[in-house]
Amino acid sequence: MNELSIGHFVLNTNKQSLLYIADNGTTTGRKLSFREASILGILIEAHGEIVENRRLLLEFWGSDTVYNLNCLYVFMSRMKQVLAADSSLSIVNVRGIGYRLIQDET
């Protein structure tokens, strides 16, 4: 089992699930697609570092065409909505380069 955690979230990449643990201890789970779990895992492991678009496109879409880049934009928009439950986390678009998952330390 491969579990990664950041903020209020625990990602299980093997089960493709994301668990949100609120401050009051209640938990909410959600099933992820293979691609969602894998990309989120990469972002968590790279925590704070830029993950290049090209890497994600080649690994998960097989090519870095403009069409696939648009798919990545939509995909990352959805992932930002999922992580919005934890206000300390955000996925930042580094224009023309890639994405970075950051966590505010406040």
Side-chain angles (χ1 to χ4, degrees):
M1 178 165 53
N2 188 12
E3 286 190 347
L4 302 168
S5 61
I6 189 165
H8 289 275
F9 289 100
V10 177
L11 171 68
N12 185 314
T13 55
N14 290 344
K15 293 183 180 178
Q16 295 171 221
S17 64
L18 185 65
L19 186 66
Y20 176 77
I21 306 167
D23 288 330
N24 65 7
T26 60
T27 60
T28 306
R30 109 176 244 146
K31 190 79 171 142
L32 301 175
S33 70
F34 170 79
R35 191 174 286 163
E36 288 172 330
S38 299
I39 291 177
L40 188 54
I42 289 170
L43 289 171
I44 292 171
E45 287 176 342
H47 184 247
E49 296 179 18
I50 297 171
V51 177
E52 293 183 359
N53 290 335
R54 182 169 166 74
R55 173 186 173 191
L56 297 174
L57 291 169
L58 293 176
E59 191 168 335
F60 296 104
W61 280 270
S63 71
D64 60 352
T65 64
V66 173
Y67 172 77
N68 288 336
L69 184 58
N70 287 334
C71 291
L72 178 62
Y73 292 155
V74 171
F75 177 85
M76 294 307 280
S77 177
R78 285 194 313 243
M79 292 309 300
K80 288 177 182 183
Q81 291 173 355
V82 169
L83 296 181
D86 184 341
S87 62
S88 73
L89 295 178
S90 59
I91 297 175
V92 176
N93 180 7
V94 181
R95 188 169 173 91
I97 299 173
Y99 292 90
R100 176 188 346 219
L101 176 62
I102 58 173
Q103 181 178 18
D104 294 335
E105 299 299 324
T106 57

